[in-house]
Amino acid sequence: MDSARCGWIVLILLSGVTWDCGVSGHAVKTRGFPSEAADEASGSTLRADEASGSTLRADEASGSTLRADEASGSTLRADALKRWRRADAEAHRERCAELAAPWRENAQPVPRDNATLLELRVKPFHTGVSRDPVFPGKTLFSFVRRVYRCCREGVLCRSVKGIPGRLKGGTDVEFLLSREVFSLRVTRAELHLHLSNPHHLDVHPVLSALSKRGLPTRYTRGSRGDAVELQVDLLLLLQRLQEAAGGAGAGGGPAVADARQVFPSSVPRDPDGAPWGPVLELGLVLGCSRAGWGVPCGTGGVRLSHPPFMALYYR
């Protein structure tokens, strides 16, 4: 009896110990895992904040880089603009200096070979005669604009009149002069020729009428890339025309006497029969060479790229 009661007591105690252990174990589970999840969530939040901070710093760095790139680009553009302005100003000064460049003289005889002949015809303009109008080309406009700009900057201020030429057949050029031209007191007269020159040959003009009498042809030359501009002195020609027309060039003197001998002219009549202006024809020969050796101008690509024009400086 006593032994049986002791067995029940042992069973009850064992049951109580087992239940307490189970409850205690469950309590550990319910209190432990939620706490770890909270810690992990907190860590994830911290890591997200760190990542957000890294993103912000990356954005700030990217913004700084963009601002640096923009500043660098602005500096480069400003430097390029300054260089372009300096180059443009230097080119403009050179172009102004060309207006006052002294004449070169070509005393060589008319080249027999490898030359190109331009036939020039200067005649009076008759208002009563119907003919196609001659409009100034862009080279003439550019020249007059350059003279104006240079004068505005105090370089070589002179009155200038441009006369466009009519190009016929590639090598024949005709100029029509109004009555006003024959009355001007011309101090300098130039024939402007714009030529293509892809092989950069030396181009030398010769007025055949001058060469026949042992007189040099005076000219200036300017090259830009694959083009060359020649300016040929025609003052003696203008004096002859004015003398023949009885205008400002009349009155004699050695220059007019030379012009009369060099440039013989015929005097046509107005439609009403009154003679007033001469007609003059002359040949301009272009010789080409490289390092002193003659080269055919035609095969060297030297040809007129724009219709010629005349520029008359007057008082």
Side-chain angles (χ1 to χ4, degrees):
M1 182 78 177
D2 293 333
S3 60
R5 189 167 47 248
C6 291
W8 279 107
I9 294 170
V10 170
L11 287 174
I12 292 171
L13 291 173
L14 288 173
S15 299
V17 170
T18 304
W19 183 81
D20 285 340
C21 288
V23 171
S24 176
H26 181 72
V28 169
K29 290 180 181 178
T30 56
R31 287 196 299 268
F33 284 98
S35 177
E36 290 177 359
D39 292 342
E40 289 177 358
S42 176
S44 299
T45 303
L46 290 174
R47 287 192 294 274
D49 291 341
E50 291 175 355
S52 177
S54 300
T55 302
L56 289 174
R57 287 192 293 274
D59 291 342
E60 291 175 356
S62 176
S64 300
T65 303
L66 288 174
R67 287 191 293 273
D69 290 342
E70 290 175 357
S72 176
S74 299
T75 302
L76 290 174
R77 287 191 295 271
D79 291 343
L81 181 60
K82 289 179 181 178
R83 288 194 298 270
W84 179 83
R85 285 177 175 172
R86 283 195 298 267
D88 182 65
E90 181 63 26
H92 177 61
R93 284 192 294 270
E94 292 178 358
R95 297 288 280 168
C96 289
E98 289 176 0
L99 295 176
W103 293 115
R104 301 182 182 188
E105 290 191 351
N106 181 18
Q108 297 296 319
V110 177
R112 300 295 181 183
D113 303 318
N114 307 323
T116 296
L117 174 63
L118 299 179
E119 294 286 353
L120 307 180
R121 182 178 175 87
V122 184
K123 57 193 302 184
F125 174 73
H126 295 283
T127 57
V129 178
S130 176
R131 59 176 79 243
D132 295 332
V134 182
F135 297 103
K138 65 177 183 179
T139 53
L140 177 52
F141 276 120
S142 177
F143 171 77
V144 173
R145 185 167 56 248
R146 173 158 51 109
V147 171
Y148 172 75
R149 281 188 62 188
C150 295
C151 178
R152 190 174 57 184
E153 296 172 9
V155 180
L156 203 68
C157 287
R158 294 180 293 182
S159 298
V160 63
K161 184 177 183 64
I163 303 172
R166 188 200 308 271
L167 188 60
K168 297 181 177 181
T171 57
D172 293 345
V173 186
E174 182 180 76
F175 294 97
L176 302 178
L177 306 185
S178 66
R179 290 180 181 270
E180 176 194 5
V181 171
F182 292 98
S183 63
L184 297 176
R185 294 195 174 275
V186 178
T187 59
R188 182 179 174 111
E190 303 168 347
L191 171 66
H192 286 244
L193 302 174
H194 290 261
L195 306 163
S196 61
N197 188 19
H199 299 290
H200 301 171
L201 303 178
D202 293 327
V203 184
H204 307 281
V206 179
L207 285 170
S208 55
L210 294 176
S211 179
K212 290 177 182 178
R213 290 162 177 81
L215 299 175
T217 298
R218 303 200 301 176
Y219 71 101
T220 64
R221 180 177 59 208
S223 298
R224 282 168 185 78
D226 293 339
V228 62
E229 180 182 359
L230 294 178
Q231 299 177 19
V232 183
D233 180 18
L234 293 184
L235 183 58
L236 203 60
L237 166 66
L238 258 294
Q239 290 173 339
R240 173 66 182 115
L241 292 173
Q242 290 181 330
E243 189 270 340
V256 174
D258 290 341
R260 190 182 300 119
Q261 294 176 7
V262 174
F263 300 113
S265 62
S266 60
V267 180
R269 292 179 176 272
D270 264 338
D272 58 1
W276 71 269
V279 173
L280 190 146
E281 296 179 352
L282 69 157
L284 176 66
V285 181
L286 301 179
C288 298
S289 63
R290 174 183 285 143
W293 294 91
V295 178
C297 293
T299 57
V302 176
R303 56 180 56 88
L304 288 171
S305 56
H306 299 279
F309 66 88
M310 294 173 62
L312 308 181
Y313 295 94
Y314 62 93
R315 289 195 295 265

